[in-house]
Amino acid sequence: MPDNQPFVSSGNTADFFALEGHAVLALDGPDAIAFAQAQFANDVTALAIGQWQWNAWLTAKGRVIAVFALLRTADQALRLLLPDADAGELGDALRRFVFRRKVAIAARPELRAGGAFAAPAQARGATVAGDEQTSLELDYGAPGLPRTLRLSRASAPADAQAHEAWRASDLRLGLPRLPASQREQWTPQQLALDRLSAYSVKKGCYPGQEIVARTHFLGKAKRELLLLQVPDATEPGAEVNQSQRAIGSVVGAAGHAPRLALAVLPLERDEAPLTVAGGNAVVQPFVDGLAR
């Protein structure tokens, strides 16, 4: 990594565990930034070297395909940290839009994600610590829920219980986890991606931008994202019921005793109790502070 790139050293000695399902996709080349700016929902040109942001890729109809952390590791280099999508499949999909741009898109399976429930040693907010040759450290938490995510060539040990707790903490922080069944179903507003500052209504065109901007400026959002404590049997796609009728559905669920879920529900609803999977669903507060 060139000396003039503003990364800070990483010395976090917290206990890390493997974050299964996370993958890294690399965009490199003279047109990497321009290509990402034209495809992704957030303002990539505002991203400085050594910084990261939340971002999303949408369909032409404004539905979310993937939510990811986007790192700018060099002047002509971006890294997508994908919590749910297959890097190879997403790379193939993106290549269909490269045309004559000078950008190489490749999965980086040697970069493995690990998590720790501790504040980062050096990374703060949107500033990345370290480098790709050793490890990259990200501040993946909030003051009320500190977490560190590390990308490294070395594998962290598997810990199923810690991994499930991490997935539940994603939901507490308002980070949607999108299994295959939930992709291309929801708009950024329905997934409350504004909580993460994950999309822009001021940048130029990108797939779905017109629908996102129209919803924003005309105030036509009719549904919202809620965090619910739900029965352990709850799975993504489950109906959320009120007064014996379905009014919404579960986007993602994680954890056990308690199990948490993110669900999209109408803004206008009555005060009757919510139920899902045959049991009560109780609204919980989000933990603020994950926006980047």
Side-chain angles (χ1 to χ4, degrees):
M1 191 71 66
D3 291 339
N4 64 346
Q5 293 190 10
F7 288 87
V8 294
S9 63
S10 175
N12 195 330
T13 59
D15 292 331
F16 283 84
F17 51 88
L19 293 177
E20 305 294 343
H22 285 64
V24 176
L25 183 66
L27 275 61
D28 294 286
D31 293 333
I33 306 302
F35 174 77
Q37 180 74 351
Q39 288 298 319
F40 302 150
N42 211 347
D43 188 357
V44 181
T45 62
L47 195 58
I49 298 171
Q51 302 280 308
W52 71 279
Q53 63 181 198
W54 293 110
N55 214 317
W57 194 33
L58 314 181
T59 69
K61 295 182 178 180
R63 298 301 195 256
V64 177
I65 300 170
V67 179
F68 50 88
L70 183 67
L71 294 66
R72 187 169 184 178
T73 56
D75 184 50
Q76 300 179 359
L78 295 168
R79 302 292 178 261
L80 283 70
L81 174 54
L82 303 160
D84 296 296
D86 181 278
E89 291 180 2
L90 192 69
D92 289 342
L94 283 168
R95 287 189 199 94
R96 297 202 301 266
F97 302 97
V98 169
F99 302 118
R100 297 180 181 178
R101 291 189 186 273
K102 296 178 180 179
V103 55
I105 302 173
R108 295 289 301 274
E110 76 279 10
L111 293 177
R112 301 175 176 91
F117 286 104
Q122 297 292 333
R124 294 292 181 269
T127 300
V128 181
D131 62 74
E132 284 188 330
Q133 301 309 311
T134 54
S135 67
L136 293 169
E137 179 190 81
L138 284 74
D139 181 356
Y140 233 63
L145 183 48
R147 304 190 306 174
T148 301
L149 188 145
R150 183 176 67 188
L151 292 175
S152 173
R153 295 170 188 270
S155 297
D159 186 330
Q161 184 176 0
H163 182 258
E164 190 65 19
W166 182 278
R167 289 177 56 85
S169 68
D170 279 340
L171 306 189
R172 291 182 63 200
L173 288 158
L175 174 60
R177 299 296 302 265
L178 296 177
S181 65
Q182 298 302 304
R183 295 170 197 159
E184 303 186 28
Q185 301 296 314
W186 311 105
T187 67
Q189 285 95 341
Q190 288 168 348
L191 294 180
L193 294 189
D194 53 304
R195 291 183 56 85
L196 306 177
S197 300
Y199 65 92
S200 172
V201 295
K202 297 181 180 179
K203 61 172 277 188
C205 293
Y206 56 87
Q209 181 266 344
E210 182 180 353
I211 293 170
V212 172
R214 184 187 307 132
T215 301
H216 174 81
F217 289 112
L218 297 181
K220 290 188 175 181
K222 296 180 180 179
R223 292 189 274 183
E224 64 176 336
L225 190 76
L226 291 180
L227 176 66
L228 304 176
Q229 183 174 328
V230 294
D232 268 7
T234 302
E235 296 294 339
E239 290 183 344
V240 180
N241 297 284
Q242 186 178 61
S243 301
Q244 299 184 331
R245 66 183 183 91
I247 64 167
S249 64
V250 170
V251 175
H256 300 286
R259 188 162 179 80
L260 299 175
L262 293 182
V264 177
L265 299 176
L267 282 167
E268 296 184 6
R269 57 185 183 274
D270 60 40
E271 299 297 323
L274 302 172
T275 61
V276 62
N280 291 331
V282 181
V283 178
Q284 301 292 311
F286 283 108
V287 177
D288 293 325
L290 196 59
R292 295 290 182 264

